[in-house]
């Protein structure tokens, strides 16, 4: 009989990655949804529309639509050299607070207590770079940038929708930008409630690469959610 020992690897590789038992490897889970995808491609994130990456490191304005939101928010991202950075800011309701450091990329944001009554926007100059919808507590964006000195290996992609009509379907694709080159890959369509890609050979995304998933509907509007699992590996 197998007996678990917290100092040794288990038979489940991904369990060990999540626990930090695998050297230089970190689990990455990315969740995104868009409730109103139209007939043109747009990013799968709950603010809707097409996401725009910053062109330089920017200090961010953080504000809620509710005066009741006074909790801490942890913002995690990358600096201009693609090195990981993070900052915790304390919300003051509908009055904006500004980060003390500049973010070149934002990979996630999450509240650290309670439940956010309002929508929380993280922006600069009127452009939103992260969004926490009311009551959700964390970003829901299929957007990620790989830190310097790391590679990301995607192992599973699940897309979900209420679409079950064979005359109406969704397109999805992955957009990867690195070294000034943009690739739109893995385009697929589906007209079922769920489609899953369980990769036998992980899809490698190199350091300093921006990637996001986007979708469009064959007609009118549609909703879509996506779940991504991967392993972030630091180069030796």
């Amino acid at each position: 009989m197998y007996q678990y020992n917290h100092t040794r690897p288990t038979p489940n590789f991904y369990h060990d990655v999540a626990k930090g038992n695998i050297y230089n490897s970190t689990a990455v889970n990315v969740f995104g949804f868009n409730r109103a995808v139209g007939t043109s491609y747009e990013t799968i994130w709950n603010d809707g529309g097409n996401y725009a990456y910053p062109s330089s490191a920017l200090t961010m304005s953080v504000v809620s639509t509710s005066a009741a939101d006074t909790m801490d928010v942890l913002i995690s991202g990358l600096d201009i050299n693609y090195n990981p950075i993070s900052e915790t800011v304390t919300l003051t309701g509908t009055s904006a607070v500004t980060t003390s450091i500049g973010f070149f990329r934002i990979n996630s944001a999450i509240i650290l207590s309670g439940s956010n009554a309002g929508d929380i926007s993280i922006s600069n100059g009127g452009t939103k770079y992260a969004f926490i919808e009311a009551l959700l507590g964390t970003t829901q964006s299929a957007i990620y940038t790989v830190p310097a000195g790391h590679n990301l290996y995607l192992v599973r992609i699940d897309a979900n929708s209420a679409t079950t009509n064979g005359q109406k379907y969704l397109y999805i694709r992955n957009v990867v930008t690195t070294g000034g080159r943009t690739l739109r890959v893995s385009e697929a369509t589906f007209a079922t409630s769920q489609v899953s890609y369980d990769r036998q050979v992980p899809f490698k995304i190199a350091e300093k690469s921006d990637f996001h998933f986007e979708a469009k509907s064959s007609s009118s509007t549609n909703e879509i959610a996506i779940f991504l699992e991967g392993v972030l590996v630091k180069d030796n």
Side-chain angles (χ1 to χ4, degrees):
M1 176 183 292
Y2 170 74
Q3 292 183 332
Y4 176 73
N5 185 318
H6 74 279
T7 64
R8 299 175 183 172
T10 74
N12 189 316
F13 172 78
Y14 294 117
H15 173 83
D16 284 320
V17 170
K19 283 185 61 65
N21 289 343
I22 304 299
Y23 182 69
N24 278 348
S25 298
T26 306
V28 172
N29 293 280
V30 179
F31 311 98
F33 67 81
N34 187 324
R35 291 190 178 92
V37 172
T39 55
S40 297
Y41 273 113
E42 57 185 272
T43 309
I44 303 177
W45 72 316
N46 56 332
D47 192 50
N50 291 300
Y51 185 84
Y53 295 95
S55 58
S56 61
L58 303 172
T59 55
M60 296 292 170
S61 175
V62 189
V63 65
S64 174
T65 58
S66 172
D69 289 336
T70 57
M71 68 282 289
D72 288 345
V73 177
L74 173 64
I75 305 169
S76 301
L78 307 175
D79 66 15
I80 194 67
N81 296 311
Y82 292 88
N83 293 314
I85 56 173
S86 63
E87 182 175 349
T88 299
V89 298
T90 302
L91 288 174
T92 55
T94 57
S95 298
V97 294
T98 304
T99 62
S100 61
I101 60 177
F103 287 86
F104 185 55
R105 294 290 184 267
I106 295 178
N107 280 335
S108 68
I110 188 170
I111 64 172
L112 298 183
S113 63
S115 177
N116 58 304
D119 294 332
I120 300 170
S121 298
I122 301 173
S123 60
N124 178 283
T127 300
K128 205 172 297 181
Y129 296 108
F131 177 72
I132 302 174
E133 192 172 331
L135 304 178
L136 298 188
T138 186
T139 47
Q140 296 282 301
S141 308
I143 301 162
Y144 190 83
T145 300
V146 183
H150 294 73
N151 292 295
L152 179 67
Y153 297 87
L154 282 182
V155 296
R156 187 175 71 92
I157 303 164
D158 276 2
N160 299 267
S161 176
T163 296
T164 56
N165 184 341
Q167 303 304 312
K168 185 176 179 181
Y169 50 90
L170 282 162
Y171 301 82
I172 58 171
R173 68 184 182 187
N174 187 6
V175 182
V176 181
T177 300
T178 183
R181 179 182 66 172
T182 297
L183 304 176
R184 293 172 174 87
V185 300
S186 304
E187 185 166 339
T189 61
F190 69 99
T192 61
S193 59
Q194 180 179 8
V195 61
S196 182
Y197 303 94
D198 189 4
R199 302 185 64 93
Q200 300 304 302
V201 177
F203 180 65
K204 178 181 177 181
I205 302 177
E207 67 165 355
K208 304 180 182 179
S209 296
D210 298 320
F211 86 89
H212 64 271
F213 276 80
E214 56 185 19
K216 69 177 181 178
S217 175
S218 63
S219 64
S220 64
T221 59
N222 227 320
E223 79 290 338
I224 186 171
I226 196 164
F227 305 85
L228 313 173
E229 291 181 338
V231 180
L232 184 66
V233 180
K234 184 177 180 180
D235 290 337
N236 291 327

